[in-house]
Amino acid sequence: MTNPLADRIALVTGASRGIGYATALALAKAGAHIVATARTQGGLEELDDEIRKLGGSATLVPLNLTDSDGIARLGAGLHERYGKLDILVGNAGVLGPSSPIGHIELKSFTDVMAVNVSANFQLIRCMEPLLKQSDAGRAVFVTSGAANKATAYVSPYAASKAALETLARAWAQETANTKLRVNLFNPGPVRTRMRATLMPGEDPATLDTAEQVAEFIVPMCAPDWTETGKFYDYKTRSLMSFRSPA
């Protein structure tokens, strides 16, 4: 089948660059109509141009995900236009400060949590009814190895990703008896702007591209994906189950 996601509606956050941009393109290539959100209008317009070149279609939604009312309006608009949502890719995230905990201002910490955790909480609240209207609703949240490594000097980011993982896993349990499947995806080090900010001395040519990573997110969005509450690790190409600490 050349278009396994034909007639499916996919919402991708942080779609103006990096993994979000590449995932939106990959989903469009598979036949999905893309609802792309990001703060950057220009990046969204570039995405739209590329999707059109593929013969696909997109709806562009310039949106700061800290605008919880904006997320609610987006949910209402999707309900009015489509009556459902088939795919949610929660990709948008910010790195925040790279500094010892004692040197980080409270506002800097809460700003990271607002985008990486609270915005996804609001997305879940507002999109769950639409995803349940799909015959095979799929949600994938992009996480990080920093969540379980508790990486030094990026504590707000690490804490936010740990919180996101718990939030997604709880949602997966709550929806286990429905058609909705909820999973997490850890891309590992990828050639993105965020990675370059964190590791400025690293040779980007040694890292996989966002386009390579996105190809592994697409199957998790397909109707024939049956796992839920799992964690896909891109580096090892393995689907993992969470387990209690030793």
Side-chain angles (χ1 to χ4, degrees):
M1 185 182 295
T2 55
N3 292 309
L5 300 181
D7 301 321
R8 306 198 78 74
I9 311 300
L11 170 60
V12 182
T13 69
S16 63
R17 63 173 184 255
I19 292 173
Y21 184 99
T23 301
L25 274 179
L27 291 170
K29 188 176 181 179
H33 173 80
I34 306 302
V35 180
T37 76
R39 291 175 296 176
T40 310
Q41 177 75 31
L44 289 176
E45 290 174 352
E46 290 176 17
L47 172 66
D48 187 48
D49 289 342
E50 292 303 312
I51 289 176
R52 288 177 183 274
K53 289 177 184 177
L54 294 172
S57 61
T59 300
L60 308 183
V61 185
L63 176 65
N64 187 327
L65 289 180
T66 60
D67 179 4
S68 57
D69 289 340
I71 293 175
R73 288 193 296 272
L74 174 58
L78 291 173
H79 173 72
E80 182 177 350
R81 185 167 182 177
Y82 302 110
K84 66 164 186 171
L85 179 66
D86 299 297
I87 299 163
L88 168 62
V89 179
N91 163 77
V94 295
L95 178 61
S98 300
S99 182
I101 293 174
H103 296 178
I104 297 172
E105 297 291 334
L106 177 60
K107 184 179 185 303
S108 297
F109 179 84
T110 56
D111 285 349
V112 172
M113 299 299 283
V115 176
N116 296 359
V117 185
S118 299
N120 284 302
F121 169 77
Q122 179 70 342
L123 279 166
I124 290 170
R125 291 184 64 250
C126 296
M127 303 305 159
E128 181 184 67
L130 294 169
L131 286 162
K132 285 184 173 179
Q133 288 300 310
S134 171
D135 60 346
R138 301 290 179 262
V140 180
F141 295 93
V142 177
T143 185
S144 167
N148 60 75
K149 293 176 184 175
T151 305
Y153 307 115
V154 289
S155 57
Y157 181 75
S160 70
K161 290 300 186 179
L164 174 63
E165 288 186 2
T166 301
L167 185 67
R169 290 169 61 198
W171 189 30
Q173 290 197 59
E174 292 173 4
T175 57
N177 294 325
T178 72
K179 296 176 182 178
L180 175 58
R181 307 287 85 182
V182 180
N183 293 281
L184 290 144
F185 183 92
N186 176 28
V190 182
R191 199 183 310 171
T192 62
R193 187 181 303 181
M194 180 184 289
R195 179 70 183 185
T197 300
L198 179 64
M199 304 289 288
E202 186 175 51
D203 180 2
T206 63
L207 304 176
D208 282 359
T209 65
E211 289 74 21
Q212 289 173 296
V213 169
E215 292 301 324
F216 287 80
I217 296 177
V218 173
M220 300 175 71
C221 301
D224 60 1
W225 180 273
T226 59
E227 299 285 355
T228 196
K230 299 294 180 66
F231 175 100
Y232 188 89
D233 184 67
Y234 173 76
K235 184 177 181 180
T236 61
R237 308 295 198 273
S238 56
L239 185 67
M240 302 180 177
S241 297
F242 288 87
R243 63 182 183 184
S244 300

